[in-house]
Amino acid sequence: GQSLEQPSEVTAVEGAIVQINCTYQTSGFYGLSWYQQHDGGAPTFLSYNALDGLEETGRFSSFLSRSDSYGYLLLQELQMKDSASYFCAPYGGDKLIFGTGTRLQVFP
Amino acid sequence: EAEVAQSPRYKITEKSQAVAFWCDPISGHATLYWYRQILGQGPELLVQFQDESVVDDSQLPKDRFSAERLKGVDSTLKIQPAELGDSAMYLCASSLRPSGTIYEQYFGPGTRLTVT
């Protein structure tokens, strides 16, 4: 079967660091994508991890441990505009599987 | 910057009526996806096209939903008849190559459907 777990909501203040965890169980796994979606907006691609380890892109970093079926998205120097929903999406070679996402609220 | 276009942005229809959504992917993107997103949930794949061929429609309610991409470019998703439970955001996405970048999809702004 397939399962995907993320926290439903995370709150933080501007300038802080927040980590959004993702555990997955899929039949077939190639890598883990992360998407951001602002309220009323479309999902936008943030990152993709095919190999174990940390990938850094500006203020955002994404980590994958294939042996633990675990990944996380790390957001540094939080800004108000980072308030959005974040989805981890395992890629099984043919399609992405989106979970219910994590709603991040950044407070001043 | 190239974008995925969708229309209409909003649609209100009565149950039992027919409704159609249109999507124009980024030029050169061979793979096109239709997703349904219910408020508070993640996108759910309805159908995936590779050029003009359907690759995956396992989650498409085929008794009422249909999708086509006749020339392998733009696509139409149709619902007939619409039901109250179809109220959702319908998102179209595209990706560049057949399999190499399915993990990196570009989404359109979506069509917000309300069925009354």
Side-chain angles (χ1 to χ4, degrees):
Chain A
Q2 296 186 119
S3 68
L4 198 56
E5 288 190 21
Q6 295 180 241
S8 60
E9 188 168 352
V10 174
T11 60
V13 296
E14 273 187 303
I17 299 172
V18 72
Q19 179 174 313
I20 299 174
N21 298 318
C22 171
T23 57
Y24 58 86
Q25 181 177 344
T26 61
S27 53
F29 179 80
Y30 281 63
L32 189 68
S33 288
W34 287 91
Y35 283 77
Q36 177 193 61
Q37 186 178 30
H38 289 97
D39 285 348
T44 56
F45 173 78
L46 290 177
S47 67
Y48 176 70
N49 293 67
L51 303 174
D52 285 358
L54 190 69
E55 296 277 348
E56 298 183 50
T57 308
R59 296 187 297 113
F60 294 2
S61 302
S62 55
F63 172 84
L64 177 65
S65 169
R66 298 172 71 100
S67 61
D68 295 324
S69 297
Y70 165 75
Y72 66 73
L73 182 69
L74 189 72
L75 298 85
Q76 303 182 73
E77 301 174 15
L78 281 174
Q79 302 176 10
M80 295 295 291
K81 68 179 181 179
D82 298 330
S83 292
S85 291
Y86 292 85
F87 297 91
C88 66
Y91 171 50
D94 56 351
K95 61 185 176 184
L96 291 174
I97 305 296
F98 289 88
T100 55
T102 299
R103 186 175 179 84
L104 171 64
Q105 293 191 66
V106 180
F107 294 96
Chain B
E1 184 176 323
E3 296 180 339
V4 176
Q6 288 189 248
S7 66
R9 293 293 306 278
Y10 304 91
K11 181 70 177 180
I12 300 174
T13 191
E14 295 182 347
K15 62 181 181 180
S16 80
Q17 295 298 304
V19 64
F21 314 128
W22 176 80
C23 171
D24 192 13
I26 293 173
S27 178
H29 280 199
T31 311
L32 183 146
Y33 318 80
W34 283 102
Y35 289 89
R36 176 172 58 189
Q37 186 175 26
I38 296 170
L39 195 62
Q41 298 184 21
E44 174 196 12
L45 181 67
L46 293 175
V47 61
Q48 177 180 334
F49 288 92
Q50 181 57 47
D51 298 309
E52 66 277 7
S53 300
V54 173
V55 173
D56 184 347
D57 63 357
S58 58
Q59 300 304 309
L60 188 71
K62 298 181 187 64
D63 57 334
R64 298 184 301 107
F65 286 62
S66 64
E68 62 182 16
R69 194 185 183 198
L70 294 177
K71 296 183 179 180
V73 181
D74 59 337
S75 175
T76 301
L77 178 69
K78 298 179 181 178
I79 308 174
Q80 181 173 17
E83 296 181 352
L84 295 177
D86 296 331
S87 295
M89 176 74 85
Y90 290 82
L91 294 162
C92 179
S94 67
S95 61
L96 181 57
R97 295 195 302 272
S99 61
T101 55
I102 288 180
Y103 57 81
E104 182 176 352
Q105 298 179 15
Y106 294 82
F107 284 80
T111 296
R112 170 72 67 188
L113 174 66
T114 302
V115 182
T116 63

